């Protein structure tokens, strides 16, 4: 596998070249990414030359031309390609004299053309030493992957008490021995967003973190596992402590370059060779605080661990919820739920927060159902389709969003309870008629005929009673039925449209997007997850 070194003072250029091309699949390995010629030259002296150097020209400390001069003066064999901006053609003559193989214009960069260019270069014969270097690189990558698997703690599984078998990590062991045996495990993740992140976003984040972290000699970047990036930070002496300033700078740089807020969790100080599994778990537990508090840097504290709610406290919470729900003062229950969340942030896992809000919501439904004597099926029929898509679950990324969803669901059901309570007998007959004939061509005049009301008067009265026009209500019922049918992957969009009264599938797609705010494919994906 050919080694490629990338040198450019613009972080987005460095990340872009790593992210856009699947190097490994084309037979190349990015052996190093550096900000200037001086860093690259030191890496060449320390680790040996790459097969290909991709370098910018104008950079601080040592520019690209000086780097190339040093390489040629020392008779180091490698292929060199210039990463050029259009205004840099004044350097063409000098670079030609230095034996540069080709130019890549940044603003016209094409991944396929670059790979073709690299494939056409002349490479020195592969020697036994170069083969050994490739094996070491591959083995180090494999060791990182193995370490991530071996230190992984699955939910509900008791953590292993023993440390890892260090003999399985000869390459990493050299780093551990040279850096010292004590330090911190650091876990980093992108702060979850409502729209999620593209794979390319996370790939770029990984490259940038790798580069930023390993600028400091005592840091070892391990890799990504379970949506978190993992780092080991070593200390030179027993008196040293981890400088959080380093990670604040990392966080700021990521935000500036990728516009991704990140969460950083740090373990307590520990002995890597014997406590690695425990240290990783501590760092991941520290990251979980972001569920309540958002982006930031969090230190694990063994004196105040995140835990589950004990039975006695759970009963107290349930008792308080029932008392507030009986008072029927919605503001008081919402205020209490918010206050409980602030306490949970200091003590309880995000899973417990989800369980708490699920409990409150179930008690709310039970209390309201008993008060208004409304069965669950009737209640669901009258719900807003968009609210029906909400769910109090662990897939929600933050406490504030979970609380908001719970409140929306409770308010919507309260609205429906009151609506059903005030419903007139004629309205019951019309709603039954709609649910029985929604797949047909229903007209307002047909519904008005049931009530013996004038069509215009009926339309005004229906809207006053339900808050919907007749057409809006029929559409709501149809979309609710569509959401149920979409759970069946064997039904096509055309068939579902026909079943709910829309002979034109394209029109159905537009209506679904307007009512739910999501496309058909997005909704089906949401159901799978």
């Amino acid at each position: 596998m050919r080694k490629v070194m990338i040198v450019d003072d613009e972080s987005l250029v460095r990340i872009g070249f790593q992210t856009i091309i699947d190097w490994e699949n084309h037979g190349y390995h990015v052996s190093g990414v550096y900000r200037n010629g001086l860093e690259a030259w030191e890496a060449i002296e320390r680790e040996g030359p790459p097969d290909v150097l991709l370098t910018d020209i104008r950079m601080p400390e040592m520019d690209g031309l000086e780097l190339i001069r040093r390489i040629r003066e020392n008779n180091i064999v490698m292929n060199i390609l210039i990463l050029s901006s259009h205004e840099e053609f004044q350097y063409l003559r000098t670079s030609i004299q230095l034996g540069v193989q080709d130019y890549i214009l940044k603003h016209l960069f094409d991944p396929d053309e670059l790979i073709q260019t690299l494939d056409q270069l002349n490479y020195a014969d592969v020697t036994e030493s170069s083969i050994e270097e490739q094996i070491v690189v591959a083995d180090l990558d494999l060791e990182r992957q193995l370490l991530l698997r071996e230190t992984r703690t699955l939910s509900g599984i008791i953590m292993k008490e023993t440390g890892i078998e260090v003999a399985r990590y000869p390459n990493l062991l050299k780093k551990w021995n040279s850096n010292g045996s004590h330090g911190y495990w650091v876990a980093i993740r992108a702060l979850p967003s409502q729209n999620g992140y593209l794979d390319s976003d996370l790939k770029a984040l990984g490259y940038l973190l790798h580069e930023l972290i390993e600028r400091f000699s005592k840091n070892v970047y391990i890799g990504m596992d379970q949506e978190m990036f993992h780092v080991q930070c070593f200390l030179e002496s027993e008196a040293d402590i981890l400088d959080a300033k380093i990670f604040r700078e990392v966080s700021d740089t990521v935000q500036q370059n990728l516009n991704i807020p990140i969460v950083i969790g740090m373990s307590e100080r520990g002995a890597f060779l014997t406590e690695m599994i425990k240290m990783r778990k501590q760092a991941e537990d520290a990251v979980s605080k972001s569920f309540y508090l958002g982006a930031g840097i969090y230190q694990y504290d063994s004196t105040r661990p995140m835990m589950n709610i004990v039975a006695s406290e759970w009963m107290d919470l349930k008792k308080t919820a029932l008392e507030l729900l009986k008072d029927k003062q919605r503001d008081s229950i919402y205020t209490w739920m918010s206050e409980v969340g602030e306490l949970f942030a200091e003590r309880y896992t995000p899973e417990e927060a989800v369980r708490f809000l699920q409990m409150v919501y179930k008690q709310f439904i039970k209390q309201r159902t008993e008060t208004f004597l409304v069965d669950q099926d009737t209640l669901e029929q009258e719900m807003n389709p968009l609210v029906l898509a909400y769910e109090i679950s662990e897939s929600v990324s933050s406490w504030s969003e979970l609380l908001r969803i719970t409140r929306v669901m409770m308010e919507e059901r309260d609205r429906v309870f009151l609506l059903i309570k005030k419903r007139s007998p004629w309205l019951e007959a019309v709603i039954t008629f709609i649910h029985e004939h929604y797949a047909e061509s229903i007209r307002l005049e047909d519904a008005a005929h049931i009530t013996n009301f004038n069509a215009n008067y009926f339309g005004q009265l229906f809207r006053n009673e339900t808050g919907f026009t007749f057409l809006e209500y029929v559409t709501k019922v149809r979309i609710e039925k569509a959401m149920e049918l979409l759970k069946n992957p064997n039904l096509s969009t055309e068939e579902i449209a026909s079943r709910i009264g829309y002979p034109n599938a394209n029109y159905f797609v537009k209506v679904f997007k307007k009512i739910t705010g999501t496309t058909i494919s997005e909704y089906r994906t949401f159901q799978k997850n």
Side-chain angles (χ1 to χ4, degrees):
M1 189 170 288
R2 308 289 186 190
K3 294 191 293 183
V4 177
M5 177 181 287
I6 301 171
V7 188
D8 198 293
D9 62 334
E10 296 181 48
S11 61
L12 291 181
V13 173
R14 297 192 300 270
I15 294 168
F17 270 86
Q18 294 178 86
T19 307
I20 295 173
I21 298 174
D22 186 355
W23 293 99
E24 306 284 338
N25 192 44
H26 290 286
Y28 297 92
H29 171 76
V30 178
S31 61
V33 183
Y34 304 99
R35 294 174 294 174
N36 56 59
L38 182 59
E39 288 186 358
W41 176 247
E42 291 173 347
I44 291 171
E45 288 187 311
R46 182 175 63 250
E47 302 169 9
D51 297 293
V52 182
L53 171 68
L54 303 179
T55 180
D56 191 12
I57 294 178
R58 291 188 290 185
M59 297 178 290
E61 297 193 57
M62 181 190 292
D63 64 25
L65 294 179
E66 178 60 26
L67 171 62
I68 297 169
R69 283 194 189 95
R70 291 199 184 186
I71 290 170
R72 295 312 186 207
E73 288 171 357
N74 286 272
N75 297 316
I76 300 174
V77 179
M78 71 175 73
N79 289 294
I80 301 175
L81 280 70
I82 293 289
L83 302 175
S84 176
S85 298
H86 65 279
E87 71 270 13
E88 292 177 339
F89 282 109
Q90 58 182 302
Y91 299 107
L92 266 172
R93 181 173 299 175
T94 303
S95 57
I96 288 173
Q97 293 172 349
L98 292 170
V100 170
Q101 274 69 37
D102 212 332
Y103 290 82
I104 300 169
L105 295 178
K106 294 180 186 178
H107 64 290
L108 297 177
F109 166 65
D110 181 271
D112 293 333
E113 289 184 8
L114 174 58
I115 292 298
Q116 289 177 10
T117 300
L118 296 181
D119 289 344
Q120 293 169 3
L121 295 174
N122 292 319
Y123 295 95
D125 292 336
V126 179
T127 63
E128 290 186 10
S129 61
S130 65
I131 293 174
E132 289 175 0
E133 288 176 0
Q134 293 175 22
I135 292 173
V136 168
V137 169
D139 286 349
L140 180 57
D141 289 340
L142 290 173
E143 285 181 23
R144 294 178 197 268
Q145 295 172 25
L146 177 61
L147 183 64
L148 288 172
R149 288 198 300 270
E150 195 171 1
T151 57
R152 186 186 299 160
T153 304
L154 300 177
S155 178
I157 304 298
I158 298 175
M159 188 168 59
K160 291 184 289 186
E161 293 295 330
T162 58
I164 64 168
E165 297 177 32
V166 294
R168 302 170 70 185
Y169 303 91
N171 291 291
L172 280 174
L173 189 58
K174 294 175 184 177
K175 293 180 177 289
W176 296 333
N177 287 335
S178 63
N179 283 299
S181 59
H182 287 74
Y184 297 82
W185 190 292
V186 177
I188 304 173
R189 70 172 298 176
L191 183 71
S193 71
Q194 193 169 355
N195 297 323
Y197 297 100
L198 299 173
D199 289 342
S200 58
D201 292 332
L202 296 179
K203 194 173 182 181
L205 175 58
Y207 286 133
L208 182 56
L209 288 174
H210 192 168
E211 177 185 328
L212 294 172
I213 293 299
E214 296 212 335
R215 286 181 188 174
F216 304 94
S217 61
K218 294 300 178 181
N219 294 340
V220 177
Y221 179 82
I222 302 300
M224 182 181 181
D225 187 43
Q226 297 179 319
E227 298 184 344
M228 291 192 195
F229 302 91
H230 296 274
V231 178
Q232 294 175 336
C233 301
F234 294 87
L235 302 175
E236 292 185 357
S237 69
E238 293 291 328
D240 283 352
I241 60 174
L242 184 62
D243 185 1
K245 181 182 177 182
I246 294 173
F247 290 96
R248 283 194 291 271
E249 292 175 359
V250 167
S251 179
D252 291 342
T253 302
V254 169
Q255 183 69 52
Q256 291 167 9
N257 285 279
L258 302 180
N259 195 29
I260 297 178
I262 61 173
V263 183
I264 300 172
M266 301 178 177
S267 72
E268 292 186 319
R269 182 190 179 110
F272 274 110
L273 301 185
T274 58
E275 300 180 289
M276 216 175 281
I277 297 173
K278 181 180 76 173
M279 292 166 69
R280 172 176 171 175
K281 180 65 167 58
Q282 288 178 347
E284 291 176 343
D285 285 349
V287 167
S288 69
K289 282 188 172 291
S290 65
F291 175 80
Y292 300 101
L293 305 174
I297 302 174
Y298 302 99
Q299 177 81 50
Y300 181 83
D301 183 356
S302 59
T303 65
R304 305 178 71 180
M306 302 290 279
M307 57 185 186
N308 296 329
I309 303 174
V310 297
S312 59
E313 188 163 359
W314 182 255
M315 293 304 297
D316 290 340
L317 288 170
K318 191 172 183 179
K319 180 180 178 182
T320 302
L322 289 171
E323 291 173 351
L324 291 172
L325 289 169
K326 287 179 181 178
D327 290 340
K328 301 177 185 178
Q329 296 296 319
R330 283 189 297 189
D331 287 343
S332 60
I333 188 72
Y334 297 149
T335 300
W336 175 69
M337 287 159 60
S338 180
E339 291 172 348
V340 168
E342 294 176 7
L343 296 175
F344 272 35
E346 295 296 324
R347 303 170 58 188
Y348 298 129
T349 64
E351 291 77 14
E352 290 296 79
V354 174
R355 191 163 73 100
F356 163 70
L357 289 182
Q358 288 174 338
M359 178 272 290
V360 174
Y361 180 70
K362 289 176 182 177
Q363 294 302 322
F364 164 79
I365 292 295
K366 180 181 179 181
Q367 192 273 334
R368 292 296 196 267
T369 301
E370 292 173 351
T371 300
F372 293 105
L373 301 176
V374 177
D375 63 86
Q376 188 68 18
D377 290 340
T378 302
L379 178 64
E380 299 301 324
Q381 286 177 3
E382 300 304 317
M383 289 295 297
N384 185 318
L386 186 58
V387 177
L388 282 171
Y390 283 142
E391 187 177 6
I392 306 172
S393 71
E394 294 176 14
S395 63
V396 180
S397 61
S398 69
W399 166 258
S400 59
E401 178 64 9
L402 197 68
L403 192 63
R404 185 191 71 80
I405 287 174
T406 306
R407 180 165 182 162
V408 167
M409 292 169 64
M410 291 171 70
E411 288 178 345
E412 172 64 11
R413 280 159 175 76
D414 247 353
R415 182 192 70 79
V416 174
F417 276 127
L418 293 173
L419 177 65
I420 294 173
K421 180 182 178 182
K422 295 188 297 184
R423 185 177 290 169
S424 304
W426 68 265
L427 184 57
E428 289 283 359
V430 170
I431 288 174
T432 299
F433 171 77
I434 292 172
H435 280 278
E436 290 176 351
H437 300 278
Y438 65 86
E440 304 167 15
S441 178
I442 303 179
R443 301 183 307 153
L444 179 144
E445 289 77 10
D446 297 330
H449 181 72
I450 296 174
T451 64
N452 293 319
F453 293 150
N454 171 276
N456 290 333
Y457 176 68
F458 167 76
Q460 295 174 2
L461 200 60
F462 186 89
R463 182 166 189 167
N464 292 337
E465 288 283 339
T466 65
F468 298 94
T469 66
F470 181 76
L471 179 58
E472 287 172 344
Y473 194 89
V474 172
T475 301
K476 181 177 80 74
V477 172
R478 285 172 170 167
I479 296 303
E480 288 171 3
K481 300 299 180 181
M483 293 169 81
E484 293 177 12
L485 294 172
L486 283 166
K487 295 176 182 178
N488 184 345
N490 297 320
L491 293 178
S492 67
T493 301
E494 291 76 12
E495 187 172 354
I496 293 173
S498 177
R499 288 193 184 190
I500 64 170
Y502 290 116
N504 187 315
N506 290 332
Y507 180 68
F508 160 60
V509 169
K510 292 179 181 178
V511 172
F512 188 90
K513 174 70 181 296
K514 181 179 179 181
I515 298 298
T516 67
T518 63
T519 64
I520 299 291
S521 58
E522 288 172 343
Y523 182 78
R524 275 189 150 149
T525 300
F526 173 79
Q527 290 298 315
K528 290 178 183 178
N529 296 335

